[in-house]
Amino acid sequence: MTADGRFSVYGKMTAKAGQRDELVARLADLLRLDTPGLEWCSVNATLEDPDTVWITEIWSDKATHDTETRSEAVVAATARLMELVAAPPEGCYGRVAHLHDVHAG
Amino acid sequence: MTADGRFSVYGKMTAKAGQRDELVARLADLLRLDTPGLEWCSVNATLEDPDTVWITEIWSDKATHDTETRSEAVVAATARLMELVAAPPEGCYGRVAHLHDVHAG
């Protein structure tokens, strides 16, 4: 995986009290869809706060992201996430400027 | 790379006006140090803002992060980053709860 042309998403979600583990499980369900173009994603449980999760997604390109996140399966899985969040998610979009991966060739 | 025991860092930096490309270059210099335990990092140029960068780092474990980020080389490279930022960086630490990597075995 290289940085060239790749599109990234940062998102931060706060679960309803006590619901973070279930929110992580539903994010894992979403990733199990193996959405075309979604090359990498980490789901991170914030250490400083018991209810917060942040994700970083790396996509092949923005156009694929825009198409695939409108698919019926992704929309349904996203709606299941939203049942568990205490507030609207925050986040931003990015261009991957540099990637470091010690496991890559 | 699996999620088990892995430690993650999210950081957001705002460059001084017009300095984002140079900030990205200095982040790339920092990654070229091949710091032990730093397995993966993306440097992302935020699309919505011309001066903002965010990074996600995945470390083998927190103890290695805590040790290695105190090394002379990392401290010096970090100081070179800080010359270019307009405000103190924001960020948080996390436990990697789930990882999705289509290029992994």
Side-chain angles (χ1 to χ4, degrees):
Chain A
M1 186 164 54
T2 66
D4 295 349
R6 290 208 160 44
F7 173 72
S8 52
V9 178
Y10 164 74
K12 178 180 165 186
M13 281 167 270
T14 302
K16 294 175 183 170
Q19 298 287 297
R20 182 165 76 176
D21 288 351
E22 181 61 23
L23 181 62
V24 166
R26 293 191 189 185
L27 281 159
D29 289 342
L30 178 52
L31 293 169
R32 258 179 233 112
L33 296 176
D34 278 329
T35 305
L38 178 56
E39 301 191 346
W40 192 95
C41 179
S42 66
V43 178
N44 308 276
T46 306
L47 297 186
E48 295 89 341
D49 183 297
D51 298 320
T52 304
V53 169
W54 95 83
I55 63 173
T56 285
E57 300 172 351
I58 308 290
W59 291 79
S60 57
D61 60 280
K62 183 173 187 305
T64 304
H65 164 272
D66 293 351
T67 301
E68 295 295 336
T69 51
R70 287 188 207 111
S71 77
E72 195 175 335
V74 171
V75 168
T78 304
R80 277 174 52 77
L81 291 182
M82 292 305 119
E83 296 168 6
L84 298 181
V85 303
E90 298 168 38
C92 61
Y93 293 141
R95 172 179 60 79
V96 182
H98 199 84
L99 265 178
H100 175 80
D101 184 354
V102 298
H103 298 286
Chain B
M1 188 164 55
T2 66
D4 297 348
R6 290 208 160 45
F7 174 72
S8 53
V9 178
Y10 164 74
K12 179 181 165 185
M13 282 167 271
T14 302
K16 293 174 183 170
Q19 297 288 297
R20 183 165 74 177
D21 287 352
E22 181 60 24
L23 181 62
V24 166
R26 293 192 188 185
L27 281 161
D29 288 343
L30 178 52
L31 293 170
R32 260 179 230 111
L33 296 176
D34 279 328
T35 304
L38 177 56
E39 301 191 347
W40 193 95
C41 180
S42 66
V43 178
N44 307 277
T46 305
L47 297 186
E48 295 88 341
D49 183 297
D51 298 321
T52 304
V53 170
W54 95 84
I55 62 172
T56 286
E57 301 172 351
I58 309 288
W59 291 79
S60 56
D61 59 280
K62 183 173 187 305
T64 304
H65 164 273
D66 292 351
T67 301
E68 294 295 338
T69 51
R70 287 187 207 111
S71 77
E72 195 175 336
V74 171
V75 168
T78 304
R80 277 176 50 77
L81 290 182
M82 292 305 119
E83 296 168 4
L84 298 181
V85 303
E90 300 167 36
C92 60
Y93 293 141
R95 171 180 60 78
V96 181
H98 199 86
L99 265 177
H100 175 82
D101 184 354
V102 299
H103 297 286

